[in-house]
Amino acid sequence: DKVIDVQALAGDSTDNVPGVPGIGVKTAAQLINEYGDLETLLARAEEIKQPKRRQTLLDNVEQARVSRELVRLVDDVAVEEPLRSFRVREPDPAVLVPFLREQGFRSILARVESHLAEGHPLTERVEQKTDASVPDYETVQDIGRLREWAAAAMEAGWLAFDTETSSLDAMSARLVGLSMALPDGRACYVPLRHEPAGAEQATLLDGGRDAPEAPVQVPFDEAMAALQPTLEDPSVLKVGQNIKYDMMVLARPENGGIALGPVDDTMLISYVLEAGLHGHGMDELAETVLGRKTITFSDVAGSGRNRIPFAQVALDNATRYAAEDAEVTGALWRELRPRLLPERLVTVYERLERPLIPVLAAMETAGIRIDVGVLKGLSDEFGRRLADLEAQIHELAGRPFNVGSPKQLGEVLFEDLSLPGGKRGKNGAWSTPANVLEELAATHDLPARVLDWRQLSKLKGTYTDTLPLQVNPATGRVHTCYGMAIASTGRLSSTDPNLQNIPIRTEEGRKIRTAFVADPGWVLLSADYSQIELRLLASVADIAELKQVFRDGKDIHAMTASEVFGVPLAQMDGATRRKAKAINFGIIYGISAFGLARQLGIARGEARDYIDTYFRRFPGIRVYMDSTVKLAREQGHVSTSFGRRIHTPAISDKNPARRGFGERAAINAPLQGGAADIIKRAMIRLPRALRQAGLQARMLLQVHDELVFEVPEGEVEATRTLVTRVMQAANNLDVPMVVETGVGANWGDAH
């Protein structure tokens, strides 16, 4: 309420508001804060100590008042006609038809007469049809018309489909409406739970004198009963964009309890075709594939503090937005689906991606139970340790500072302590990322303690403090969401909460896993592929020595250590084996001598010698790496042994750093992608295998190469045997696959 007074003093050159000369926004705000308002300031201007400012105000009293009137909005005008009276209404055919004849609008007239003959409403449809480029969207508000749409979809054999909800969380979202599009491009929106605008909106619209009513809608239960046969019919394909979400929403009883299927997903089709080239969200695909700019959610619901729930969006806007989503999804399907066959990617989509949709939907719906008490205890413990670490850091620095501030940390490291290697960013502040701190930690304790502080702070903020807030009150469990089209290699991602980034090599990470527990009478079973990427490397690169080690069931790291360091297996010590393990896994990710040296704490020259010896001993690996990079550069992509295509655009980049990253990604992609393919094959097969065996176990989590199941205590051994067999049989390699299992009351013990 003081902004007007501040603007009266500061003026606004854009709108030709003069203000008071020499007084800017900062000074104006200071004066208004001090004196309360403009009139008080002007009345007491003689009290101002600065002579120049005092005189300026005294000389421009009237100009300040005029400026205030210029910036003040007139808010007392009587609203003679409420805005609701300007809504689009059904036209009067007795007026409209003669007018169209008189003006010579022959094509519009023909459409109007056709709609009148069929008994369809004219509103919106006539206006949209005057421009052939605007799709024909309909708002379905009566049960008869809804049944006609459902029947048309049944007759067509497929429909594009989308839901509009109250939340992005499928486990709590309330169905607000749904949209459908038919093969001929016609699309509609079916509002189900739209509400009248809030009281505040009503006041804005018409001064509150004509409060809005809830829009006309088909009663929810009637609508779902009319749609259920079509949405569940196995002969009608339902096409969606990220349709896993829609499946989960509709499956909940309060949203209709509908088992949506069978389904196709345009997001996944695009992902299979062009993983690594671009994102696969609908708006981006519409622009990339169709050359269309779509209406965004913010366009109809607003943004920031002005955003309203979709249930309060006016039906005409809701229809434009929602029906377009379905219509665009159908158009994308018609463009993208036919490409799978000529590009030889049908098998990847039909065997690895599409069947995984209901499997992941079931896993996300099941969720996993957490012990909030364990997390609370860990949060308190981490808080105490963070305080201790902060005290140590301040002592090492010689003064207190904000450890979480990169700017202040940089000043301590490179100005107060004069540590070497400091670099300033574009904003002039010292750069303090983890790799810089890791290098400095070799010469000073402070950066080492900061790394510890950052790790613990991240665990506390991301997991021990946050996970209890993410427990679904209806289920008492947390329900992660698996992203199917994020990582270019085919790996799944996990969000809200992210359960794939809990560190397992640190004691703190392992403690967090103990908070994930089974229901009473049940246990958690962890099944983890052992060294899957090394086995893939041996098979894909055709390294005879490595394949034989795996066939013989020997220790791959001990064997590598023996070959590289010349140490007999009988005399192998743990430290030497750990070095070989770092080399084995580092080679997969294209590790450099510098990276290996830092990881092992050795000189760079020594690390280079290790890598050179490794390639001399296993020359086939170097051949594989070089040939893979060459192939990726020639064709722009690499493939897994299952046919998944992973595009590598960075491999031809002019920038050496980005090009090097592209080369490393190309080398690793067939291995990481192959591992993703194998575990997806296992995940698709396991639910049916468990059902057929009469076992009650449910698959809850997928974390990299590990699957976590909740199993009745009396079925542990039978489940363990079946899961191991199915997971081992899911690969197509010429080396055996080993699955390691563990059982416990919590995830930490099971792992």
Side-chain angles (χ1 to χ4, degrees), residues 564-631:
V564 173
F565 304 122
V567 179
L569 286 173
Q571 301 172 22
M572 187 62 59
D573 61 281
T576 305
R577 183 185 180 278
R578 281 193 294 275
K579 287 182 182 179
K581 183 176 181 179
I583 297 172
N584 273 331
F585 286 113
I587 291 297
I588 293 174
Y589 291 94
I591 198 168
S592 64
F594 173 78
L596 183 61
R598 187 171 62 191
Q599 189 170 334
L600 296 179
I602 59 178
R604 194 178 306 184
E606 185 179 358
R608 168 52 58 196
D609 289 342
Y610 287 166
I611 292 174
D612 290 344
T613 303
Y614 186 92
F615 283 131
R616 282 197 300 272
R617 183 62 193 85
F618 305 112
I621 295 178
R622 172 58 75 186
V623 172
Y624 160 75
M625 294 169 74
D626 291 344
S627 62
T628 301
V629 168
K630 181 174 182 291
L631 186 65

Side-chain angles (χ1 to χ4, degrees), residues 4-285:
I4 293 171
D5 289 351
V6 171
Q7 282 190 309
L9 292 171
D12 187 342
S13 59
T14 304
D15 289 334
N16 291 321
V17 178
V20 176
I23 293 184
V25 173
K26 187 175 180 181
T27 303
Q30 178 186 334
L31 289 169
I32 295 302
N33 277 330
E34 184 176 350
Y35 289 92
D37 57 56
L38 181 65
E39 284 303 325
T40 304
L41 170 66
L42 296 176
R44 297 170 57 187
E46 292 281 4
E47 301 175 13
I48 294 175
K49 295 178 181 179
Q50 298 90 339
K52 185 177 179 182
R53 185 180 299 174
R54 179 174 62 243
Q55 194 58 47
T56 300
L57 278 168
L58 290 171
D59 292 344
N60 293 278
V61 169
E62 288 310 311
Q63 187 163 299
R65 289 184 174 130
V66 169
S67 297
R68 180 176 57 189
E69 293 311 306
L70 289 173
V71 298
R72 194 203 310 268
L73 295 177
V74 179
D75 58 4
D76 57 355
V77 176
V79 180
E80 298 177 4
E81 190 72 31
L83 293 184
R84 287 173 56 81
S85 67
F86 292 97
R87 285 182 172 174
V88 177
R89 296 186 297 273
E90 192 71 16
D92 183 352
V95 176
L96 178 62
V97 172
F99 171 79
L100 293 176
R101 287 200 183 105
E102 182 182 345
Q103 300 300 325
F105 291 119
R106 289 187 298 276
S107 59
I108 299 177
L109 180 63
R111 283 195 288 272
V112 168
E113 290 176 334
S114 171
H115 281 295
L116 290 172
E118 295 171 8
H120 295 321
L122 297 172
T123 307
E124 292 287 309
R125 300 169 70 89
V126 172
E127 292 183 311
Q128 291 179 354
K129 278 295 186 180
T130 60
D131 178 358
S133 67
V134 179
D136 184 15
Y137 298 151
E138 178 183 344
T139 309
V140 177
Q141 295 173 275
D142 68 85
I143 190 66
R145 190 69 184 131
L146 180 58
R147 288 184 178 126
E148 289 177 16
W149 274 91
M154 191 84 81
E155 178 69 24
W158 78 265
L159 76 154
F161 180 81
D162 190 32
T163 58
E164 300 303 333
T165 63
S166 61
S167 168
L168 294 177
D169 177 7
M171 289 300 297
S172 62
R174 190 167 183 263
L175 184 63
V176 173
L178 50 86
S179 54
M180 298 181 286
L182 299 175
D184 60 8
R186 287 184 298 137
C188 72
Y189 176 59
V190 186
L192 297 169
R193 286 172 172 155
H194 276 257
E195 308 161 355
E200 184 178 349
Q201 273 191 303
T203 301
L204 290 173
L205 283 169
D206 49 29
R209 291 190 301 276
D210 188 10
E213 300 174 354
V216 175
Q217 300 167 90
V218 180
F220 185 85
D221 291 341
E222 275 188 57
M224 302 315 287
L227 289 168
Q228 186 166 10
T230 301
L231 296 181
E232 292 186 346
D233 193 300
S235 69
V236 180
L237 180 67
K238 273 66 70 171
V239 179
Q241 169 76 16
N242 188 23
I243 204 163
K244 170 165 64 74
Y245 172 84
D246 306 290
M247 292 177 71
M248 292 178 64
V249 168
L250 289 174
R252 290 178 27 234
E254 59 268 38
N255 290 327
I258 289 174
L260 186 69
V263 298
D264 248 359
D265 195 323
T266 49
M267 177 186 74
L268 293 181
I269 296 172
S270 171
Y271 179 65
V272 167
L273 290 168
E274 297 183 341
L277 289 182
H278 53 73
H280 306 280
M282 195 200 74
D283 292 340
E284 186 171 350
L285 289 180

Side-chain angles (χ1 to χ4, degrees), residues 420-433:
K423 293 181 180 179
R424 293 186 185 272
K426 292 180 180 179
N427 61 358
W430 295 103
S431 179
T432 59

Side-chain angles (χ1 to χ4, degrees), residues 693-713:
L695 298 172
Q696 300 177 66
R698 46 191 180 238
M699 191 160 53
L700 305 185
L701 301 178
Q702 188 270 340
V703 181
H704 305 309
D705 305 323
E706 174 190 7
L707 295 174
V708 178
F709 302 80
E710 195 166 23
V711 184
E713 290 175 348

